[in-house]
Amino acid sequence: MAGKGDFAPAEWKKLLEAPLLAGFAISAADPSGFIGTLQEAFASARALAETKAGGADGLIKAVVDDLLTSSGRHDAREGVRTVVQGAQLAEMKDRALAELKSTASILDAKAPVEAKAFKSWLARIAKTVAESGTEGGLFGFGGVKVSEIEKATLAQISTTLGV
């Protein structure tokens, strides 16, 4: 089983950033306004909490455990901030996808046994975020759960991760 010690510090930081970037890619692809953005942020946090409560094992558990520490959260947030710093909204999704691709490569090289489960977990986080709010409509009425742009971004995430 791969763990933190199997990765260089920069690689481990990428693993910590990945769950945040998976949700962020969805949010950046089709911004949902203030309420929708809050719903998406809470969905991402809820997905991590559910993973912890669900008794994930292996590499996913190690990443979630580290994300639940103040230093782990700080490293992940700073990493995401660095990825999007100076980017226009249209570029943010592409930058997040590029980082997820880099993370997938690290997983394939350093944790081939855990790679598929970890990448599938990232795709599930993105799906949870996409399904968290209603897109379009008025005050949440008449919209759709997942917009066409979000569906396309979910497909890009799956392709990028190879799942």
Side-chain angles (χ1 to χ4, degrees):
M1 175 183 88
K4 187 174 183 175
D6 296 308
F7 299 89
E11 293 169 333
W12 185 253
K13 188 175 179 200
K14 282 192 175 293
L15 295 184
L16 292 178
E17 295 166 10
L20 303 181
L21 287 169
F24 183 80
I26 295 295
S27 297
D30 194 9
S32 302
F34 180 72
I35 299 297
T37 300
L38 284 176
Q39 290 173 325
E40 290 171 346
F42 286 130
S44 187
R46 185 176 62 247
L48 291 174
E50 288 172 356
T51 300
K52 173 78 174 164
D57 56 356
L59 187 56
I60 294 170
K61 180 182 181 328
V63 166
V64 171
D65 287 347
D66 204 358
L67 276 172
L68 294 177
T69 67
S70 61
S71 65
R73 276 190 307 277
H74 176 268
D75 287 348
R77 286 182 192 146
E78 281 301 305
V80 172
R81 186 183 63 76
T82 301
V83 167
V84 300
Q85 190 171 20
Q88 298 296 320
L89 185 59
E91 295 174 279
M92 290 182 184
K93 176 191 83 165
D94 293 335
R95 287 186 180 190
L97 290 172
E99 289 298 313
L100 289 173
K101 184 174 184 149
S102 174
T103 302
S105 295
I106 291 167
L107 287 165
D108 290 338
K110 297 270 184 128
V113 173
E114 292 92 348
K116 183 177 180 183
F118 196 97
K119 293 185 287 186
S120 294
W121 173 63
L122 295 175
R124 282 192 309 275
I125 290 171
K127 185 174 187 243
T128 298
V129 170
E131 293 174 343
S132 66
T134 303
E135 306 297 327
L138 182 63
F139 301 114
F141 297 101
V144 295
K145 205 66 171 153
V146 180
S147 72
E148 291 303 315
I149 294 170
E150 289 174 329
K151 287 177 186 175
T153 303
L154 287 170
Q156 285 180 295
I157 290 169
S158 292
T159 300
T160 296
L161 296 172
V163 295

